[in-house]
Amino acid sequence: MRPWLRRIPTLLGYAAAVLAVAALSVWLSVRVTPLQTVSPAGQTVQVGAATPDLNMSGPGELELFGQTIPTQPRFEGPIRPRLKLTHISLNAQASALTKPGGAQAAGKDLSEQLTSAWTRYLLWETLIAIGFAALIAVAVAGIRRSSRASMLWMLAIAVTSVFALNALGVYLLASATPAALRQVRGIEDLVGPSTPTPVQAVGTPAQPGVEAVVIGDSTAAAIGNAPLDHPTTTDTACGRSKDAYALYLAAANNWNILNLACSSATIRDGLLGPQQRGTTQVPPQLSAAMGAGKASVIIVSIGANDIHWSTMAALCAAANACDDRASTAYFQQQIAAFTTAYYDLLSNVAALPQHPRVLINEYYNPFGENIDCLKDQNITTAKAKILKSRLDQLNSVLRQGAQTFDFTAVPQHFDGHRLCSDQPFVQGPDADAPLHPNAAGELAIALADQQALSRTRTPTSTPTPSTGAAAQNTP
């Protein structure tokens, strides 16, 4: 056998070892290379690479507040993008989007920043992979007690092989990734649009005489106030009150109004789906509202239960501070989930055949400058500011959604009548429903809604004077 033939197994072994070192270096570098952070339009996104695999194409990874999901676009190559959404500043996002041409500019900014961050990440990943390969080569040379020349030779081979493998895996096979990232104009481009859940009026009686409908949570039900004079089982289970703002609006407009609001309701469990209240199952509020096919006005009060506002307030009171990273991350996760459900709800409301005027009630801030009456509950001025800031973010989502669907968002201001004031509009900490509006607060909400109604078009339905104002609370 010729001498060079006898060296083939050895050469193949060296080649396999070099390839293994290069692959290990690239794998390690992807694991440790710091993600590159960008902040377009109020969103903080970190850009990196998903763990390489043997597939030559596939989706990237998108981490939304701890939940990892595959991206809608597919990318070429074994090394594909990993994107991590860590923060949403809704006020900054809304400000950017509502400027003239803001949506287009924000989308372009996002795509450019993602592409730039991907390029920066790859440069860092290449340098770190070369560093790993160099360390491994030096370690092997030291173990083998190789000469200086041999060590330099091994070092050169390791660095060259890593660079070549990266060039093949990223710059050649994944060369289309920057172009794909340039097409991303928003997070929805990465995950795809959500499919609205259609709601149908199944098993609900017709309500031809109803002129307005209220759907929502305990704020609209007016929990903690005087009960209805002749409540049904559902009225009692939902905590509906005769002081609810729906009844004030009914009296002011001579409406036959249907109040479907229920305590603890969320969008998924209450408005779009059924809600269990003790032994009573409450039908989906929107489904029941569809029975009022001639209603010209729908008022929506929702969101606090979706983001677990009461739980957050209780935890905030019990903790030394309520702006720690854990509670902040939890809130961001809840507000993101609520946003998806909220737009699902709005899509269903917009699809109603009678095309009613729609009011979206925002939430009031219960905390005033004076919070002395809350000392026993361990609520400080700093904590009250944090809770207010989270209500502001919820209201920003409510307002932005209303604008998107051409509905009317109605701010609620309890200025001068918050907790600890002489004449509060909010039930105190010792009441049956702390932080909820009292009768005066419900009247204030009704006045804000009435002003919003007066700024919109004239109602299409005309109340019947002979029937007088009436309010229905169950379908």
Side-chain angles (χ1 to χ4, degrees):
M1 181 180 292
R2 296 182 180 181
W4 63 272
L5 289 176
R6 290 196 298 268
R7 298 184 60 189
I8 288 179
T10 303
L11 292 174
L12 290 175
Y14 282 139
V18 168
L19 182 61
V21 168
L24 177 62
S25 299
V26 171
W27 184 83
L28 288 172
S29 66
V30 169
R31 303 282 292 188
V32 304
T33 300
L35 302 179
Q36 302 299 299
T37 301
V38 294
S39 298
Q43 302 172 100
T44 301
V45 185
Q46 294 181 320
V47 182
T51 303
D53 56 34
L54 298 179
N55 296 320
M56 290 298 102
S57 67
E61 290 181 1
L62 178 64
E63 184 177 332
L64 291 174
F65 308 110
Q67 180 185 11
T68 301
I69 57 179
T71 60
Q72 186 80 0
R74 295 179 66 86
F75 299 93
E76 301 297 323
I79 298 181
R80 298 183 285 275
R82 175 183 172 225
L83 304 161
K84 185 177 181 181
L85 182 63
T86 60
H87 179 72
I88 296 178
S89 176
L90 293 168
N91 291 332
Q93 190 177 44
S95 176
L97 292 174
T98 53
K99 292 178 180 177
Q104 183 177 2
K108 182 178 179 182
D109 184 36
L110 174 63
S111 62
E112 289 178 350
Q113 291 201 40
L114 290 179
T115 305
S116 176
W118 172 251
T119 302
R120 293 199 311 272
Y121 176 86
L122 292 181
L123 290 175
W124 277 108
E125 183 272 329
T126 301
L127 293 173
I128 292 174
I130 289 173
F132 276 124
L135 286 174
I136 294 173
V138 170
V140 171
I143 293 172
R144 297 182 59 183
R145 301 193 179 189
S146 302
S147 65
R148 185 180 184 129
S150 296
M151 183 181 69
L152 291 175
W153 178 246
M154 292 173 63
L155 188 61
I157 292 175
V159 169
T160 302
S161 64
V162 165
F163 188 81
L165 187 63
N166 245 26
L168 175 65
V170 176
Y171 301 106
L172 183 59
L173 296 177
S175 59
T177 295
L181 290 175
R182 290 191 193 100
Q183 302 303 314
V184 175
R185 291 293 187 268
I187 296 300
E188 65 276 7
D189 290 338
L190 292 168
V191 298
S194 62
T195 303
T197 304
V199 176
Q200 298 179 348
V202 178
T204 56
Q207 303 276 358
V210 171
E211 294 141 341
V213 178
V214 171
I215 59 176
D217 55 20
S218 53
T219 296
I223 187 174
N225 292 287
L228 292 165
D229 292 332
H230 304 288
T232 65
T233 301
T234 303
D235 291 334
T236 301
C238 288
R240 295 169 186 156
S241 167
K242 63 181 180 182
D243 291 319
Y245 66 77
L247 278 76
Y248 291 116
L249 289 170
N253 296 280
N254 196 29
W255 277 342
N256 181 2
I257 198 165
L258 180 64
N259 187 8
L260 298 166
C262 193
S263 179
S264 300
T266 66
I267 291 176
R268 299 297 184 198
D269 299 320
L271 273 63
L272 297 182
Q275 180 185 0
Q276 193 68 37
R277 291 289 296 169
T279 59
T280 303
Q281 186 176 67
V282 184
Q285 293 181 36
L286 188 57
S287 178
M290 288 180 177
K294 295 184 179 180
S296 61
V297 175
I298 290 184
I299 303 175
V300 182
S301 295
I302 200 66
N305 296 319
D306 294 78
I307 66 168
H308 304 287
W309 164 254
S310 296
T311 301
M312 284 194 300
L315 290 174
C316 181
N320 292 328
C322 45
D323 58 347
D324 59 279
R325 290 185 178 181
S327 61
T328 300
Y330 174 77
F331 172 71
Q332 293 292 346
Q333 185 178 16
Q334 299 306 307
I335 201 77
F338 166 70
T339 302
T340 301
Y342 177 53
Y343 277 73
D344 195 352
L345 170 67
L346 297 182
S347 297
N348 278 280
V349 174
L352 292 174
Q354 72 268 36
H355 303 296
R357 288 174 292 168
V358 180
L359 303 187
I360 306 294
N361 277 340
E362 298 179 20
Y363 282 91
Y364 55 89
N365 173 25
F367 305 109
E369 295 183 0
N370 175 18
I371 56 171
D372 290 342
C373 66
L374 299 176
K375 286 182 178 179
D376 291 342
Q377 280 68 41
N378 198 30
I379 294 293
T380 64
T381 301
K383 289 182 178 181
K385 287 181 178 179
I386 294 297
L387 291 172
K388 177 185 178 298
S389 72
R390 290 176 178 168
L391 277 178
D392 289 342
Q393 291 187 57
L394 172 59
N395 286 334
S396 181
V397 173
L398 293 171
R399 186 164 52 252
Q400 188 173 339
Q403 292 171 352
T404 300
F405 286 83
D406 200 24
F407 298 157
T408 302
V410 185
Q412 304 295 334
H413 301 294
F414 285 8
D415 298 346
H417 297 280
R418 296 174 181 153
L419 282 172
C420 307
S421 65
D422 294 335
Q423 295 179 323
F425 286 175
V426 185
Q427 298 179 52
D430 298 326
D432 293 335
L435 304 185
H436 287 77
N438 55 25
E442 292 287 329
L443 177 58
I445 294 174
L447 290 172
D449 286 344
Q450 187 66 30
Q451 289 178 355
L453 287 168
S454 67
R455 292 192 295 267
T456 59
R457 66 181 184 273
T458 303
T460 56
S461 61
T462 303
T464 304
S466 60
T467 60
Q472 300 181 36
N473 291 280
T474 53

